Amino acid sequence: MSGPGFIPAGRTSMVKKGDLQLQVQTEYAQRPAPRITTTILNAGQVVNKIERALDHEISSLDEQARVEVSLKRQHQEVIGILQDQSAQQSHNAGIDGVPESEWAGKLMTIPGVQKVYALDNDGNFFSDSGSEEFRKAFGPIFRNIRELMTVFGPISGTDCTRESGVYEVERDRLYFASTGGECYFVIVRRVNVTTNYEQEIKSCLEIGSAG
């Protein structure tokens, strides 16, 4: 049983994204289950939550210190994602003129989405750090990315366009999506029983149901 004093310090930051001023809060909670939660707010309204479950409650000062390091890392990762999206927004054009970063941003608004990785149609990650993160988390899938991508094959008569669609790689954990022009890995952790991740991802990326 953890004592009331074993609570790592939370973090709060402000991130400017276009005309928006987003507040990012990361904190540890014991109930209903021990976890680290990062909340993104716009004018006090929750835009998204990223939660990472912990194995057990903090029961010592050493554990508190380790969790605090993880909390800081999660907080900085979310800030980094938001800052990268903002920096790329003005010049990284995607489908129908929507910046590629905006597609990732839209995906992050789906309840339970924890991370979004963007790739080109040859299976190359747009971010070297993202490539390394994904390799560590999903080694076997990383080694066979190009084989996995064949679920949405090249469209005949084009050099760089694939079929579009969403494929569930690991149930309620990892999804692969193709918009035709680029691809995404979407990592989720279910936070409710109602979200249909396949349909939500298709909606965010404006992928037709026949894709």
Side-chain angles (χ1 to χ4, degrees):
M1 192 79 175
S2 66
F6 297 125
I7 305 293
R11 293 288 182 273
T12 300
S13 302
M14 301 298 294
V15 178
K16 185 173 177 58
K17 188 176 187 300
D19 295 331
L20 301 179
Q21 190 78 10
L22 301 177
Q23 184 177 27
V24 182
Q25 298 177 338
T26 304
E27 57 190 355
Y28 166 79
Q30 296 181 6
R31 304 287 187 270
R35 66 198 183 278
I36 298 173
T37 301
T38 299
T39 306
I40 303 171
L41 305 101
N42 176 25
Q45 298 296 313
V46 175
V47 175
N48 193 26
K49 278 191 175 184
I50 299 94
E51 293 191 341
R52 184 168 69 84
L54 301 178
D55 293 335
H56 52 78
E57 294 181 12
I58 299 173
S59 58
S60 70
L61 288 174
D62 285 344
E63 286 184 358
Q64 178 178 318
R66 286 195 295 270
V67 171
E68 188 159 346
V69 170
S70 296
L71 186 151
K72 290 179 181 178
R73 182 183 301 119
Q74 179 169 311
H75 187 75
Q76 288 304 125
E77 285 175 352
V78 173
I79 290 175
I81 291 170
L82 293 173
Q83 290 176 335
D84 286 345
Q85 291 171 0
S86 181
Q88 294 173 12
Q89 183 171 346
S90 62
H91 62 267
N92 194 9
I95 307 168
D96 296 331
V98 178
E100 181 278 322
S101 58
E102 285 301 302
W103 295 107
K106 289 174 68 176
L107 289 169
M108 288 294 294
T109 66
I110 300 173
V113 168
Q114 295 184 305
K115 196 83 173 180
V116 176
Y117 297 97
L119 305 83
D120 64 22
N121 272 346
D122 292 324
N124 302 305
F125 284 75
F126 291 153
S127 163
D128 290 340
S129 60
S131 175
E132 181 63 15
E133 286 178 8
F134 189 87
R135 183 189 66 78
K136 290 180 179 179
F138 300 96
I141 295 170
F142 181 86
R143 289 191 293 272
N144 295 284
I145 281 179
R146 285 167 179 77
E147 180 179 349
L148 171 63
M149 293 176 70
T150 61
V151 298
F152 303 118
I155 294 178
S156 178
T158 67
D159 294 330
C160 57
T161 304
R162 289 183 177 274
E163 297 171 339
S164 60
V166 178
Y167 174 70
E168 186 179 52
V169 183
E170 293 185 7
R171 183 169 178 79
D172 283 346
R173 179 56 179 160
L174 179 64
Y175 289 80
F176 174 70
S178 167
T179 63
E182 62 271 323
C183 302
Y184 295 90
F185 279 112
V186 183
I187 300 176
V188 308
R189 185 181 185 88
R190 184 169 288 281
V191 294
N192 57 49
V193 297
T194 58
T195 300
N196 182 321
Y197 285 110
E198 182 175 346
Q199 292 302 320
E200 291 287 346
I201 294 170
K202 283 183 177 180
S203 177
C204 281
L205 297 178
E206 299 181 11
I207 296 173
S209 59

